[in-house]
Every structure is written in structure tokens, then in C-alpha cells.
Amino acid sequence: MCPMDIKKAKALREAWGDKPCKHPGFSKESVNGLIGARFIEYKTGEYVCTQCGRTFSRNEKIEIENLNQISSSN
């Protein structure tokens, strides 16, 4: 699972709009930037839907994954 920068997540949210999303996949949310000449990546502990850009806590992510697994097995 590759981390997703918060700026990319925001762009995804704006592009996706208010359409419904089943949140089929997640990436760890990160903040990327430069401190001096050094690149840093800080993981926020949150997760981002790779389709719509919405941010979720770890518990919310697990709950959504469980619901998606149940609906795909029916």
C-alpha cells in the first residue's frame, strides 16, 4: 500500500464531488515536503480512499473493508 499525500487526496475529493463511493481501496495518508534540502514523508495515521479521496480512521477503514467483503461474497 503506497502512501497518498494529503494534496493528492484533496484533488481526488474535489474531482469526485458528491458521487457515492463504496471505497474499494485505501492508502495511508501522508504529508510530503521539504525541510531545507531534505525530503520528508510523515504518515498521519489516517487512510484515504483511492477512488474518492475521502479520509478515514483505521477503525472506519476496517469496518468498510469488512462490509465490502460481505457484499462481494453475496
Side-chain angles (χ1 to χ4, degrees):
M1 171 186 325
C2 293
M4 183 183 299
D5 183 69
I6 59 171
K7 292 175 189 170
K8 183 175 179 183
K10 181 181 179 190
L12 264 179
R13 280 193 303 277
E14 290 171 355
W16 189 259
D18 292 332
K19 296 179 279 189
C21 181
K22 293 188 178 186
H23 315 299
F26 295 92
S27 287
K28 288 186 176 182
E29 183 181 61
S30 67
V31 178
N32 300 322
L34 291 173
I35 295 181
R38 187 172 175 197
F39 179 80
I40 59 122
E41 178 179 80
Y42 170 77
K43 292 182 181 71
T44 66
E46 301 288 307
Y47 292 84
V48 177
C49 173
T50 56
Q51 182 166 289
C52 73
R54 185 171 164 196
T55 303
F56 297 94
S57 69
R58 181 178 181 277
N59 289 340
E60 290 170 322
K61 172 192 166 285
I62 291 168
E63 185 177 324
I64 291 166
E65 287 175 330
N66 288 339
L67 289 172
N68 286 346
Q69 188 174 19
I70 290 168
S71 29
S72 69
S73 64
N74 289 332

